[in-house]
Amino acid sequence: MTSSNTSSHPAGADRTFQVDLRGLVDLLSHHLYSSPRVYLRELLQNAVDALTARHRLEPAAPAGAFGIRLYADGSVVRVEDDGVGLTEADVHTFLATIGRSSKRAEQVAEQRADFIGQFGIGLLSCFLVADEIHVLSRSARTPDAPAVEWRGRGDGSYTVRTLRASARPRPGTTVTLTPRADAGEWTRPAQVHALARHFGSLLRHPVTFDDGTHGTDGPGGAPVNPEPAPWTRTYPTPGARSRALAAYGQEVLGFTPLDTIELDLPAVGLKGIACVLPEAVPAGRRHGHRVHVKGMLLSEQAEEILPEWAFFVRCVVDAESLRPTASRESLYEDDTLAAVRDALAERLRAWIARAAASDPDLLARFLQAHHLAVKSLAVHDDEILRMLLPWLPFETTDGHTTLDEFARTHRTVLVTSSVEEFRQVASIASAAGLGVVNGGYTYDRELVHRLPEIKPEASVADLDPATLTAHLDPVDRETELAAAAYLARARDALAVFDCDVALRTFQPASAPALLVDSREARHERTRSQLAREQEGGLWGDILGALRQKAPRAQLILNQLNPLVRTAVAIDEPELARTSAEALYGQAALLSRRPLRPAESSLINRSFLDLLAHALRKDS
């Protein structure tokens, strides 16, 4: 809140920046702080730091001897602490200069170890709800220190007065705000109490709240943080501890945890819990975590404390050595945070390992809800892969089962590259005795191919059309010759789709046709078609150089199906052509892949032509 008169400076002399305090407060409210409610957090934080300094000054003082008292009655908000207090020199140095922190006088290492705040602008947040800040303080450093009064106003002006010691009989600081009319949402007594509970429930110093009515709480006010963090308490049994931690997780996070993982990293003074979500979450959605620093709530949405794959848990932690950003609403990305993230990830891996080794029921419930998260972890973590790959569920031709069970009944495990390929071949492959896994889902194909690392006796191969058609029985030569004319007309009708037609026998007999056509084959045919259309140009030369022999789709008709046996006997050319188009359209629909416009048109046309033929025949 410094200012200078530039007209008194000679040319070329150093000048002091002019500070528009209202503009600065507007900047803070719109770009630094997420909400005006942070004013109370900043006041609590200043009070906690003052108490920390008081304890360092008087290390023999018993725990709980110094505390923080909040008062709000609708007309004022007051925060009083028994901290180290300020001298008049301190007031001029630290309250009248924007950006300077009273902790700057300490060694940097000591500052980071002992104090929450480091930025010296927290008091400005009070201007988000009030036009004037009144500070009354008395230093604990000298027994007969006078009281000092500082009044700062939103226009950037301030006054300082030295008062008799009796103006504040005990050392410490009292900050009083007279809220603006438009700030009632954040300064009502009930809201102040709720904010104090929200930000300060885990503070290590006693904090009380008084709304002026006294009531049943007595003149001392209601305790804001009546109990320490649950992980710091002792319990009669491990089961009681586990239940207490789960109850706390449910209270602050809003869901009943599937399990609770206790977190303890002594190197950085971190303690807390990770609560396993009872239901699956969409892949990639990261939940924010509730992070306290030295007991003060920093953020409820701190995503950065855990790796991306850990979206199956939400954490509540309190740490000593994590560094907040300037807004004190998120964590500063540094080597310490990276080390904490890695260490917490290891704790989650260890929990999964314990569940796999000793609690199969818990593991099954966890995998049922979070198999995608575990699959993403197993892809990059060999230890998790070895532990959990046999337990993970996959979609197969035997239904949803584990790879361990599937590999016991299928010597060779075939895996598709897409969901649509699996849909095309599942029923036919199952009837033919082939073991096929749907590899089209995220991580599945890569994980199935790593099965031999866990079970060396298992064999894994990609499924291609040749593998499937090799397991379909050919028809006898006489039947093939009798159907030759129909097959020729069918090939001609489907040439526009680069589709060959063959006659085989396969189960189930209820399936009239199978369309074998991979996504890669369709892409290659599209590229070849584009090259032909661009023939002669530079782009055509480039595509032509890339072009391979375009693989063809294959419509395999099932001779065991009565409809197919009737169709191949059709002599009328147009009706034979229409029936082949209808069989292609039905097989394309059963493949569940997206239809091209030409295929949708073909399905409509063939249906109408067959209907018209049936009506003519009946008439």
Side-chain angles (χ1 to χ4, degrees):
M1 299 170 198
T2 56
S3 62
S4 65
N5 185 351
T6 56
S7 62
S8 64
H9 287 279
D14 287 343
R15 299 169 185 265
T16 303
F17 280 109
Q18 299 299 299
V19 177
D20 178 356
L21 188 58
R22 293 190 185 278
L24 180 58
V25 171
D26 183 69
L27 182 68
L28 293 177
S29 64
H30 288 93
H31 299 284
L32 184 64
Y33 296 125
S34 60
S35 164
R37 68 177 186 168
V38 300
Y39 83 93
L40 191 67
R41 183 197 65 196
E42 297 293 340
L43 290 177
L44 281 173
Q45 189 163 280
N46 288 342
V48 169
D49 286 341
L51 291 176
T52 301
R54 179 79 180 271
H55 275 287
R56 292 177 58 183
L57 184 66
E58 303 176 34
F66 308 130
I68 303 170
R69 294 166 295 282
L70 306 180
Y71 178 88
D73 62 2
S75 60
V76 297
V77 175
R78 187 163 61 239
V79 179
E80 181 180 4
D81 67 69
D82 300 317
V84 71
L86 299 171
T87 65
E88 183 178 357
D90 291 335
V91 167
H92 283 290
T93 302
F94 301 122
L95 295 187
T97 305
I98 293 174
R100 181 174 295 176
S101 168
S102 62
K103 280 80 71 177
R104 298 298 183 193
E106 309 293 339
Q107 294 292 330
V108 172
E110 291 177 340
Q111 169 190 326
R112 291 186 178 177
D114 295 334
F115 297 101
I116 301 172
Q118 298 177 40
F119 301 97
I121 58 175
L123 196 63
L124 290 182
S125 66
C126 295
F127 286 121
L128 299 177
V129 298
D131 286 327
E132 182 175 285
I133 305 170
H134 176 255
V135 178
L136 182 63
S137 187
R138 180 179 172 187
S139 175
R141 299 186 185 279
T142 54
D144 57 348
V148 183
E149 179 191 65
W150 177 88
R151 291 182 183 272
R153 289 169 285 274
D155 61 5
S157 63
Y158 69 91
T159 59
V160 178
R161 289 196 304 161
T162 300
L163 307 176
R164 294 178 181 178
S166 58
R168 198 184 197 289
R170 295 184 301 174
T173 300
T174 302
V175 180
T176 304
L177 309 179
T178 302
R180 293 195 307 271
D182 63 353
E185 177 184 359
W186 306 110
T187 57
R188 290 193 301 268
Q191 180 69 290
V192 172
H193 189 203
L195 290 176
R197 289 278 298 164
H198 179 74
F199 289 118
S201 62
L202 297 185
L203 288 175
R204 291 85 183 266
H205 303 284
V207 183
T208 59
F209 173 79
D210 184 4
D211 63 2
T213 62
H214 302 316
T216 58
D217 295 314
V224 168
N225 52 343
E227 296 181 325
W231 45 81
T232 65
R233 305 175 211 162
T234 57
Y235 299 90
T237 64
R241 182 178 184 85
S242 178
R243 289 189 295 273
L245 294 178
Y248 179 77
Q250 181 174 6
E251 177 187 352
V252 299
L253 298 177
F255 64 87
T256 303
L258 183 67
D259 197 19
T260 305
I261 308 164
E262 194 157 358
L263 306 173
D264 187 3
L265 302 178
V268 292
L270 183 146
K271 289 180 178 291
I273 54 174
C275 295
V276 182
L277 289 158
E279 298 177 350
V281 294
R285 177 185 292 179
R286 300 183 64 189
H287 283 288
H289 306 287
R290 192 177 175 94
V291 175
H292 300 252
V293 175
K294 301 178 180 68
M296 182 69 72
L297 179 65
L298 180 76
S299 174
E300 295 176 279
Q301 300 296 326
E303 296 181 353
E304 60 273 15
I305 199 166
L306 286 182
E308 291 185 8
W309 55 259
F311 51 79
F312 55 87
V313 297
R314 289 192 66 189
C315 292
V316 184
V317 299
D318 186 20
E320 293 289 331
S321 301
L322 293 179
R323 190 175 160 199
T325 59
S327 67
R328 290 188 282 276
E329 295 184 331
S330 59
L331 294 171
Y332 187 80
E333 189 69 45
D334 57 10
D335 291 342
T336 300
L337 179 58
V340 166
R341 186 164 48 236
D342 291 343
L344 293 180
E346 187 56 38
R347 297 297 187 276
L348 298 184
R349 291 189 186 95
W351 174 82
I352 294 174
R354 286 195 302 273
S358 59
D359 197 339
D361 179 61
L362 173 61
L363 180 68
R365 287 185 285 122
F366 170 64
L367 291 179
Q368 183 178 12
H370 300 294
H371 59 272
L372 184 60
V374 177
K375 286 178 178 179
S376 70
L377 176 57
V379 166
H380 306 292
D381 191 308
D382 291 344
E383 182 180 353
I384 295 297
L385 179 79
R386 288 190 296 272
M387 285 191 301
L388 294 184
L389 183 59
W391 298 80
L392 291 171
F394 289 83
E395 184 179 9
T396 75
T397 46
D398 291 352
H400 282 81
T401 185
T402 65
L403 288 184
D404 188 57
E405 294 177 353
F406 194 66
R408 291 176 191 168
T409 55
H410 298 282
R411 172 181 263 175
T412 299
V413 176
L414 300 172
V415 58
T416 64
S417 60
S418 67
V419 173
E420 73 178 53
E421 284 185 10
F422 181 81
R423 299 283 186 263
Q424 289 177 35
V425 306
S427 60
I428 310 300
S430 179
L434 296 176
V436 182
V437 178
N438 185 349
Y441 296 116
T442 306
Y443 310 118
D444 282 15
R445 183 167 175 266
E446 186 174 353
L447 288 172
V448 174
H449 273 287
R450 298 191 67 179
L451 179 62
E453 298 177 30
I454 313 302
K455 296 176 69 71
E457 67 276 15
S459 174
V460 177
D462 286 324
L463 177 70
D464 58 42
T467 303
L468 181 62
T469 54
H471 284 78
L472 305 181
D473 296 326
V475 298
D476 59 71
R477 183 163 183 77
E478 183 178 343
T479 302
E480 182 84 32
L481 289 173
Y486 178 85
L487 295 176
R489 293 187 181 107
R491 293 185 184 109
D492 182 64
L494 302 180
V496 66
F497 300 115
D498 287 318
C499 183
D500 194 12
V501 184
L503 187 63
R504 297 286 188 273
T505 63
F506 54 86
Q507 295 293 339
S510 59
L514 169 67
L515 181 60
V516 180
D517 189 19
S518 69
R519 181 183 300 173
E520 291 75 13
R522 292 197 301 276
H523 287 175
E524 180 58 35
R525 290 198 300 275
T526 300
R527 187 170 63 182
S528 298
Q529 177 64 29
L530 182 59
R532 288 194 295 270
E533 292 173 357
Q534 298 287 338
E535 192 170 343
L538 176 61
W539 184 237
D541 293 340
I542 294 173
L543 289 176
L546 296 173
R547 184 172 61 216
Q548 306 169 2
K549 180 176 175 57
R552 305 191 71 192
Q554 196 171 31
L555 180 67
I556 303 175
L557 305 178
N558 186 4
Q559 177 64 18
L560 298 180
N561 184 269
L563 178 62
V564 171
R565 290 200 299 271
T566 300
V568 297
I570 296 174
D571 293 327
E572 184 181 338
E574 284 303 314
L575 182 58
R577 181 185 183 92
T578 299
S579 67
E581 291 175 339
L583 287 168
Y584 176 90
Q586 192 255 3
L589 287 172
L590 289 178
S591 72
R592 302 186 190 180
R593 64 168 171 77
L595 296 177
R596 290 173 282 180
E599 291 173 329
S600 298
S601 176
L602 173 139
I603 291 171
N604 294 332
R605 186 179 68 251
S606 62
F607 170 77
L608 293 175
D609 287 350
L610 287 175
L611 181 61
H613 175 80
L615 292 175
R616 284 197 303 271
K617 184 177 179 182
D618 290 341
S619 61

